[in-house]
């Protein structure tokens, strides 16, 4: 008996990626996908790459209607919208994996400071932050998953071994990150046009990107104390991928090889974190299309800093793949079920 | 009991792609990969995307040594080299799937005119042209497969229904094609540098590309007569993909919808040819990373011509994927075994 | 005393390119630029590349208001809009260079068949088709220039020597073309998003692109007879550039070198057409940022066809550069005035 | 009477860019270009974009032979080679602008630690570091210019106002930079292939890039003290451009607007530094093809850090353009002579 899954808000790149992964998941039957804009249009007309993989047609349906069709729903909606849709699914007893930011911040005031007034704040306490490498046991039993942001996933996985082992000065953390354009979604805006992006590279939202409080929340949990980080996102002229180059001051001398051992040991049982051989540095093209997070690091005795570099595919480990990984945990499936694809390179 | 497979010459993009596909093939055990340049180096060091999927190390080994380790060998070698390596595998009774041009042309003189003097011409007669959609029954029993060229695959699949049904003037065929850079291989040459390719687009080898005789041979078989075609390849600033835009004069009036029916019927049983809805035109990004050939067509009453557009991923249906499809046929497996990946989009 | 120039509708890529060129033109003072969307916004805020080159602010102004400020106006408006704006400038006695399609087709019925009902058809007869290489003497005295389309410019310059010399069968012409994304303008539409275009390549509007009648009109003038051509545009994942690969059946045997001589002689006095050495084939990256049209050709005795390849920057020779070239002719300036930039490569 | 200029080692991207700029410089006659690989080949055959701009043929000539033909020579050679060529030109009394690293480091030991043993160390003392914004008066009288590296140019211009004004903790500086592929030169190596770079993004030479001592030398001069910086270069999938995102801890509270004032004032007289309006952040595509350095900055009260972002075209302000700017200063020409091109956007 397969798990019946639905994707609510499935016309963007994250929605498409969920359909791509779920349509080949051996234990899942994709039963419904919704979109207002494309109501009545076959998925394969909007995304011809999916021809032959799904015969579903986009529906414009209420949460209640979709709840009747599924065991688990993925919400691929903008923040502010998820909070209006999620409660109905929770009430109906469906497992909810929310890919928006709406339930990620445990501090309501912090959420409302960076985002918008919350409309279903009561659910925040029930939500589990869906980063399996840190919260696997809570995810197991959760009814509502707050699927992590793409940048936070990449940064947190890059820093967790350092923070858990108390190796760095927490106030020294600087995360310089770059993302592919799919992270901006499929909405037609000038800034995402080919001619605006190709051949270009820029920082954006310097000092005020909304992923900052999420990053600080989770790094704070790892360190056992609160602190501020510098986080600067950049827009890369690529479709998929995030690379984080993270700087921190080491509390004590340690060699690159020694630190690589610590990372390898920390992530030993993880299926989706690949700690590179000492001295090797990740490239986003080595994880493209896959659920992997590649991590490399260099200790620089000249400056006393460690430089950690982590890479993910923002649509997979940074969104849809991680969401499916969470679903696998919730339903007791092997964590890599449906996620075994080899990265597509070149 | 899994099929034991080896890749001879596995350090280029085609070799990498074979490893990528075979490492996840449910019925295959990849037992050996060879490379002179990388002898002793782990595959995952050369291609970090494959970390965790293979622990193989490149070997510099003779065909005899490799034959002892495998049931089937894939030759991912340049033309002129395959012909030196294939005979040893054939003699050892191994199934050979040759991805070079060495055994594709049935006319030895034609081969030697376009390529180099042949060193194992006696094998040409045994080789089967490995385009499953046309030669499935012969592939079944073959010991030596001449895996088709990338451009020929795309053009032949685009034209087969027209030629088989005698719908076009054969002397009028013009195939205007564009390929991603991976088709040029991984050899470091100036013409394949990022700065030479990005932002550019050019025709090359106009009127004299070596795939021409292969295209004419197979189109001639389909039509039952010999003729010349105009074939112009172009270099696209993308990594993967071939699009063929093919022009021919129609012998009789036919609508686009009528022709779409003929194509849909012709390819009805095929797993890897997707005939698009009437009026839709393929895009290489919709087949990227997959073994699909997408085909669309438009009949233009103004000029009396049909324009057929076909698209493949040159590394998959144009090389490694088709090779695995041939292996599946030879070993009696489902044709899509190991080839079920959804295209990666965007 | 400098020429006072204005750009009406200057917020798209063509408008930007006009500002880029005119801001450095030694004989021009750019006096006004208009845009409804950006009214009141400095040009350099919308296009930071222009910071330091112009202090103009976008105005939302009537043609009459702008006419008071200029000797010549460039209309960088969509078709259907130009026809509403041009008459006021013509009445005010200003030189008008219209970059839309509105006055390109001499046959009103043909225009209305492919576009929309015309609102200032009376002006069609006054308009001169602004391709200097063919119409220099009429441009000289014109008050209203219909600046050619990008694809037509590239195709016409590629075929003119063949047609003028009666060397090809006119019914055999097939123009397979590919354009950079800037040709689609700066409007935010899904099809122009980076993620939709990068890594992709597709044909579009097969058999029904609106540039077809313009191409046929001018090729017909060159040949002295009417005929239909097959024209297929493709979308390239580059920002700038058009490459046309044009096929035609030769009426008589001629060598590539012989034909190259004919082309070199035909374009001998032209500043902006570079006929490549025999056998060399153009690349769009060699004309990027410049007003050049590069042309190469190959005669193929196997098929009896000639393959001509021509390349332009669609925003320069295909739009803004050609418009300035027309202005130079009208005002008696050296044709290359303000257009002497070397292509930017790589 | 024009300045006679030669380019020694002119077959790479920097050499090509020098030819591109010098061929249109109103006060320069380009008299010779050298290349061993392309000896006897016309420049326009190697770089078709230059057809019509130069009829020069690459020469394989000695420094003495070239010295006889020029007033000033640009050395576009790898480090370690320049030091063998420069002395002959200096002895012959020619002005030498060296684009390699060979004379940039004033401390010989430091040079030999990061590079190779020096062969003309005696000239180091005569060389002037050719960053006009800092060393204009010394450049004026110099015979040998050490043209700055691309990354150092971008970083130094980004930090100069902060260091000169003592606004930051010098030990806190982290420069996270990304460069287009042309920075790696035109040598055919696997790492610069299109398929290796496109769709990818990676850090490289983490903690040990050779530009580090040059950056530290010049930042140290500005600050009046020595210190180490963290510098991490990344490879961008673009042809041209460097973006530096630089972090430093502020010594005192200052607003973004206040800091923007300080920058605007610091660079007030500079032709080639554009300080963006407060809050705006540079994009490499806004300087492409030009000699500009765009600078923006944000003060982040949450972390007490300033984030400075600076952007250049690595081939222009980061190499050939800056070299011509130095030549202009040496010969008493307006600094922007030959460098007035508007950036090419999109």
């Amino acid at each position: 008996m397969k798990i019946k899954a639905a994707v609510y808000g499935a016309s963007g790149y994250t929605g498409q990626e969920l359909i791509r992964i779920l349509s080949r998941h051996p234990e899942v039957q994709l039963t419904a996908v919704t979109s207002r804009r494309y109501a009545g249009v076959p998925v394969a007309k909007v995304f011809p790459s999916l021809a032959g993989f799904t015969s579903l047609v986009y529906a414009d349906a209420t949460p209640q209607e979709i709840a009747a069709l599924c065991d688990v729903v993925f919400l691929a909606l903008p923040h502010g919208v998820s909070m209006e849709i999620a409660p109905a699914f929770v009430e109906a007893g469906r497992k909810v994996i929310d890919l928006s930011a709406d339930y990620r911040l445990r501090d309501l005031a912090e959420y409302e400071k960076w985002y918008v007034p919350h409309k279903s704040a009561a659910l925040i306490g029930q939500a589990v932050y869906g980063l399996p490498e840190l919260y696997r046991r809570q995810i197991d039993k959760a009814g509502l998953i707050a699927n992590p942001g793409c940048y936070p996933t990449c940064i947190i996985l890059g820093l967790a071994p350092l923070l858990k082992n108390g190796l760095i000065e927490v106030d020294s953390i600087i995360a310089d990150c770059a993302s592919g354009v799919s992270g901006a979604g499929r909405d037609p805006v000038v800034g995402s046009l080919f001619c605006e992006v190709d051949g270009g590279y820029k920082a954006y939202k310097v000092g005020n990107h909304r992923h900052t409080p999420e990053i600080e929340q989770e790094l704070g949990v790892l360190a056992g104390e609160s602190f501020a980080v510098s986080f600067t996102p950049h827009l890369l002229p690529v479709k998929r991928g995030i690379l984080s180059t993270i700087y921190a001051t080491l509390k004590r001398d340690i060699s690159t090889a020694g630190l690589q051992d610590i990372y390898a040991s920390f992530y030993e049982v993880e299926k989706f974190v690949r700690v590179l051989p000492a001295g090797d540095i990740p490239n986003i093209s080595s994880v493209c299309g896959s659920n992997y997070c590649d991590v490399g690091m260099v200790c620089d005795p000249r400056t006393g800093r460690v430089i950690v570099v982590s890479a993910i595919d923002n649509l997979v480990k940074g969104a849809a793949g991680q969401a499916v990984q969470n679903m696998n945990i919730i339903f007791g499936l092997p964590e890599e079920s449906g996620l075994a694809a080899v990265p597509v390179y070149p």
Side-chain angles (χ1 to χ4, degrees), chain A:
Chain A
M1 189 68 177
K2 291 194 175 184
I3 299 161
K4 285 182 283 180
V7 181
Y8 206 93
S11 65
Y13 292 132
T14 299
Q16 183 276 150
E17 193 71 358
L18 283 162
I19 300 173
R20 186 174 81 88
I21 293 171
L22 293 169
S23 70
R24 276 295 174 192
H25 194 296
E27 309 297 336
V28 168
Q29 183 192 357
L30 188 61
T31 54
V33 296
T34 80
S35 165
R36 282 203 185 146
R37 191 190 322 185
Y38 294 115
V41 181
V43 168
K45 190 80 180 178
V46 178
F47 297 108
S49 58
L50 297 172
F53 291 93
T54 180
S55 54
L56 284 174
V57 172
Y58 283 113
D60 181 7
T62 64
Q64 287 77 8
E65 290 168 326
I66 298 300
L69 301 171
C70 67
D71 304 311
V72 57
V73 68
F74 296 86
L75 307 182
L77 299 162
H79 71 261
V81 179
S82 267
M83 61 172 73
E84 297 177 345
I85 301 297
F89 283 103
V90 172
E91 280 162 36
R94 299 297 173 263
K95 299 288 186 179
V96 178
I97 300 173
D98 176 26
L99 287 86
S100 86
D102 284 355
Y103 302 100
R104 292 180 198 154
L105 299 186
R106 292 180 200 103
D107 180 337
L108 175 63
E110 192 77 348
Y111 178 88
E112 298 194 330
K113 176 177 143 201
W114 290 84
Y115 292 90
V116 293
H118 211 294
K119 293 177 183 163
S120 60
L123 286 181
I124 294 177
Q126 301 179 28
V128 172
Y129 190 72
L131 191 65
E133 289 76 9
L134 299 184
Y135 293 98
R136 189 171 283 117
R137 277 188 247 171
Q138 294 92 311
I139 292 166
D140 206 357
K141 306 175 269 291
L144 171 58
I145 297 291
N147 209 59
C150 49
Y151 284 120
T153 294
C154 195
I155 293 169
I156 296 164
L157 292 176
L159 282 174
L162 288 172
L163 289 168
K164 270 287 191 186
N165 288 286
L167 292 168
I168 55 173
E169 306 286 355
V170 295
D171 287 334
S172 70
I173 297 172
I174 291 174
D176 194 283
C177 302
S179 173
V181 190
S182 60
R186 201 170 180 247
D187 284 336
V189 296
V190 167
S192 297
L193 292 177
F194 184 87
C195 287
E196 303 290 316
V197 173
D198 188 58
Y201 184 63
K202 64 171 184 181
Y204 64 98
K205 295 185 185 161
V206 178
N208 61 16
H209 191 284
R210 281 167 165 165
H211 282 174
T212 307
E214 180 182 344
I215 294 162
E216 292 178 350
Q217 167 182 287
E218 295 303 321
L219 296 186
V221 169
L222 285 163
E225 60 178 310
S226 290
F227 50 89
V229 301
S230 285
F231 160 56
T232 309
H234 296 74
L235 185 68
L236 274 177
V238 306
K239 293 187 287 188
R240 291 167 174 255
I242 286 181
L243 192 90
S244 301
T245 302
I246 312 170
Y247 303 83
T249 299
L250 287 162
K251 283 187 184 163
R252 61 173 173 87
D253 271 1
I254 186 165
S255 69
T256 297
L259 192 56
Q260 201 269 357
D261 279 348
I262 291 170
Y263 271 74
S265 161
F266 189 92
Y267 287 125
E268 195 167 18
V269 303
E270 294 301 335
K271 300 283 186 189
F272 292 118
V273 180
R274 299 191 294 196
V275 177
L276 303 196
D280 287 6
I281 301 293
N283 187 330
I284 54 171
S285 56
S286 292
V287 297
C288 180
S290 83
N291 200 45
Y292 288 96
C293 176
D294 281 2
V295 186
M297 71 285 316
V298 170
C299 295
D300 180 14
R302 292 180 65 259
T303 59
R305 294 191 184 104
V306 58
I307 300 102
V308 179
V309 184
S310 52
I312 60 170
D313 182 324
N314 57 301
L315 290 181
V316 191
K317 185 61 178 170
Q322 184 141 274
V324 172
Q325 189 179 356
N326 281 314
M327 180 199 75
N328 288 341
I329 294 170
I330 291 171
F331 287 89
L333 301 172
E335 221 163 292
E336 65 273 34
S337 192
L339 294 170
V342 192
V344 176
Y345 179 89

